[in-house]
Amino acid sequence: MEDRPAVAFLAHPQPKGDGTSIVMASAVPMSASSPAPGAELLNLLIVDDERAVREGCQEAAESLGFQCYTAENADSAYKILDSRGIDVVLLDVHLPNSGGVELLREIKHRRPQAAIIVTTGAATVHSAVRAMQQGAYDYVTKPFDLDEMKLLLERVAGHVKMAVENRVLRQKIKSKEGFGNIIGRSPEMEKLYRLICKAAGASHSVLILGESGTGKELVARAVHFSGPYRHHPFIPVDCGSLVPTLIETELFGYVKGAFTGAHKAKEGLLSLGEGGTIFLDEIGELSPELQSKLLRALQEKEIRPVGGTKSLPIHVRILAATNCNLEAAIAEGRFRKELYFRLNVLTLRIPPLRERKQDIPLLIGHFISRISRLNGHQLTLSDEALKLILSYDWPGNVRELENCLERAAAVSSGPLMHVGDLPTGVQNAMQPRPLAAAGNGAQVTPMAALEKMAILNAMQQLHGDKIETARQLGIGKTTLYRKLKEYKLSEFGLL
């Protein structure tokens, strides 16, 4: 259990006219006798040397929904404090053997977040003052009535609740600063943030997996800039956008005269990134020859420039990313198993947007705020457009959502963006299509054919502009290049 702010309470019997006594105990105010379903119980520790006091406080507190623990002396209290996630401690400042003020001081040492209430007799108010100086939240003198204690505990409960909320808020703010432009509060993203923190402090290679448009480079930058490498270079390399020979010279460099046009030597990125991070995006696009050369460089921690005879030491961290299934590529002989194991020391999987739809409103707010600043006036979505965006599956992930909002802002005739301003693909995706009855001979167009036609139409309308085509389709340029080759669109003059 995580440490949470502790509230210390003191319990004492309240004399009654009939010779009996009642005992006061409470904590966070609750309107019912038990916590709401799913709510986490507050743990209450009652420290008093009188058994009747402990039992009375426990009965009263449990009726309010607390999980109670009792201790008759300081030693017993220490054991409970060390073994339980105590939120509340009800403490007597006049314990035998070990004084309550000394115990209070130790509680503050072991649980710095504690807010402590002490009780004391009217003749020993100076003990309560000492307790306040040692960090107690408040005190009450005996005898006290139930209403007085309840009011005090309600006030303390508000203090504790605010302290918890402030701590959570500070953690979220810190997380946002540490992870740059990554937006999301869903459980899937919280899990990813924890893994990023672990990866940031290590030096081994990391493999980042995710569909196109999920933000693999953002995650790589978060790993780099959240750890000890942040003061050194971060160099991204798109392995899918360059021909193999260019990637080789980019990574390893070359010597003068290595090939025609090599009038002077060029240092490779693996050398330029000394002490920093090399991010190899779309690592699955590397040719088998380059895979072998990269594996050797990572194993030996040295590289040999193209055309060179001497090896140069390198000291860089490798982060690699892909949207491909590398295990399937290994089975098909397209990716080296040894390189996969070398890169896959730690895996970070970025969930697609359809698996974290609760983050879509946050992303919408982030993108619209940025677009509004660039346009010089505040933009907003109509209710119908917002409903459509929230229900769409976003196969192009966050990048497609960003492009969708940019497009809507560009074509909108005013500050309010309507459904008609959204890309046609988003609008059409929500149009109901009648299903053909089985056995009537209706033909279903394969998905690959639809995708090929969409790319072909877009390329023709945009006069072969690949960058704009990728943007309009909501996919990465690397993905577009791969699809152009896969569908052999060169026959249409598009390659």
Side-chain angles (χ1 to χ4, degrees):
M1 179 180 292
E2 296 180 357
D3 287 345
R4 289 167 294 173
V7 182
F9 293 77
L10 175 63
H12 275 285
Q14 172 64 46
K16 296 176 66 177
D18 58 2
T20 62
S21 62
I22 60 172
V23 182
M24 265 44 81
S26 186
V28 175
M30 299 183 183
S31 58
S33 60
S34 60
E40 188 175 0
L41 294 177
L42 290 180
N43 295 325
L44 169 64
L45 171 60
I46 303 166
V47 185
D48 199 286
D49 60 321
E50 295 188 40
R51 179 177 179 181
V53 173
R54 296 194 303 270
E55 292 179 351
C57 288
Q58 180 173 353
E59 182 178 353
E62 287 180 347
S63 70
L64 295 173
F66 291 93
Q67 176 68 48
C68 295
Y69 303 89
T70 63
E72 61 182 343
N73 53 47
D75 291 338
S76 298
Y78 291 146
K79 292 179 181 179
I80 296 174
L81 285 169
D82 290 339
S83 62
R84 304 292 180 182
I86 297 299
D87 301 292
V88 177
V89 181
L90 193 55
L91 176 66
D92 183 359
V93 293
H94 293 295
L95 291 174
N97 300 324
S98 177
V101 174
E102 288 74 16
L103 177 55
L104 182 150
R105 187 183 301 115
E106 186 63 24
I107 292 174
K108 293 298 292 183
H109 174 71
R110 299 188 185 197
R111 304 187 66 80
Q113 302 292 334
I116 304 174
I117 299 174
V118 298
T119 61
T120 184
T124 56
V125 174
H126 67 279
S127 297
V129 174
R130 287 183 57 201
M132 296 288 288
Q133 292 172 344
Q134 294 295 329
Y137 177 79
D138 208 338
Y139 74 94
V140 61
T141 58
K142 300 180 294 182
F144 47 81
D145 60 36
L146 183 60
D147 290 338
E148 179 186 3
M149 179 60 77
K150 284 185 175 180
L151 288 174
L152 177 58
L153 295 180
E154 287 179 2
R155 181 157 50 87
V156 173
H159 169 79
V160 173
K161 181 179 180 181
M162 183 175 296
V164 172
E165 291 176 347
N166 287 343
R167 287 177 61 195
V168 172
L169 179 59
R170 286 194 296 269
Q171 290 172 354
K172 288 184 176 180
I173 291 174
K174 182 178 179 181
S175 296
K176 184 175 181 181
E177 291 173 349
F179 299 134
N181 292 323
I182 302 178
I183 305 295
R185 297 177 186 170
S186 61
E188 295 82 2
M189 294 304 291
E190 293 291 345
K191 179 180 178 180
L192 177 62
Y193 295 157
R194 290 193 293 270
L195 290 175
I196 289 175
C197 289
K198 292 181 180 179
S203 60
H204 49 62
S205 301
V206 177
L207 183 61
I208 304 171
L209 304 178
E211 297 177 3
S212 294
T214 52
K216 295 186 286 294
E217 184 170 338
L218 285 179
V219 170
R221 289 182 179 275
V223 171
H224 172 79
F225 289 104
S226 298
Y229 291 84
R230 61 183 176 274
H231 300 300
H232 299 279
F234 175 87
I235 303 177
V237 181
D238 190 346
C239 300
S241 64
L242 299 173
V243 297
T245 53
L246 289 179
I247 297 178
E248 183 176 9
T249 56
E250 284 291 310
L251 288 176
F252 301 99
Y254 54 83
V255 299
K256 182 179 179 180
F259 50 84
T260 303
H263 302 300
K264 60 180 180 179
K266 179 181 178 180
E267 191 173 4
L269 296 177
L270 290 171
S271 295
L272 290 172
E274 179 71 18
T277 299
I278 302 295
F279 172 53
L280 302 176
D281 196 10
E282 300 302 341
I283 188 72
E285 301 294 328
L286 283 182
S287 66
E289 295 77 16
L290 273 179
Q291 292 176 30
S292 298
K293 193 165 185 178
L294 177 61
L295 174 62
R296 190 178 309 112
L298 298 180
Q299 289 174 334
E300 304 298 330
K301 297 188 183 303
E302 61 181 23
I303 60 171
R304 181 180 298 177
V306 175
T309 57
K310 296 182 179 180
S311 296
L312 304 174
I314 58 172
H315 301 91
V316 295
R317 183 188 192 184
I318 299 296
L319 304 180
T322 182
N323 60 9
C324 301
N325 186 335
L326 292 185
E327 293 181 350
I330 292 172
E332 296 170 3
R334 295 185 290 106
F335 200 84
R336 292 202 56 168
K337 180 166 45 176
E338 298 86 349
L339 179 58
Y340 173 74
F341 290 136
R342 175 67 61 174
L343 296 172
N344 192 29
V345 178
L346 176 64
T347 301
L348 301 181
R349 179 186 176 274
I350 309 175
L353 192 53
R354 63 182 174 275
E355 292 181 6
R356 57 181 188 104
K357 283 195 169 184
Q358 67 191 83
D359 289 331
I360 292 180
L362 293 175
L363 291 163
I364 292 174
H366 172 75
F367 291 136
I368 288 184
S369 177
R370 190 193 65 195
I371 296 170
S372 296
R373 288 196 303 269
L374 293 176
N375 290 359
H377 58 274
Q378 184 61 45
L379 297 167
T380 187
L381 285 167
S382 69
D383 292 342
E384 294 78 10
L386 178 59
K387 182 179 179 180
L388 179 58
I389 288 176
L390 292 176
S391 60
Y392 185 56
D393 270 346
W394 300 107
N397 295 293
V398 179
R399 184 188 295 123
E400 183 184 7
L401 174 60
E402 181 181 11
N403 291 342
C404 168
L405 295 173
E406 289 179 346
R407 193 263 189 189
V411 302
S412 175
S413 58
L416 184 63
M417 297 180 288
H418 299 277
V419 170
D421 299 323
L422 302 179
T424 304
V426 177
Q427 298 180 48
N428 292 343
M430 302 309 297
Q431 297 296 328
R433 289 184 172 85
L435 297 176
N440 65 354
Q443 298 295 318
V444 178
T445 305
M447 182 64 71
L450 293 173
E451 185 177 57
K452 178 179 178 179
M453 185 60 65
I455 294 174
L456 179 60
N457 288 339
M459 288 287 288
Q460 290 175 338
Q461 291 178 27
L462 297 170
H463 309 290
D465 188 333
K466 297 183 180 65
I467 301 299
E468 182 61 19
T469 296
R471 193 184 74 82
Q472 291 285 351
L473 293 175
I475 60 177
K477 61 180 184 301
T478 302
T479 302
L480 177 62
Y481 290 136
R482 186 171 67 253
K483 294 296 183 181
L484 290 173
K485 294 178 182 178
E486 179 182 343
Y487 296 136
K488 299 179 181 179
L489 293 178
S490 57
E491 59 187 279
F492 297 95
L494 298 177
L495 277 179

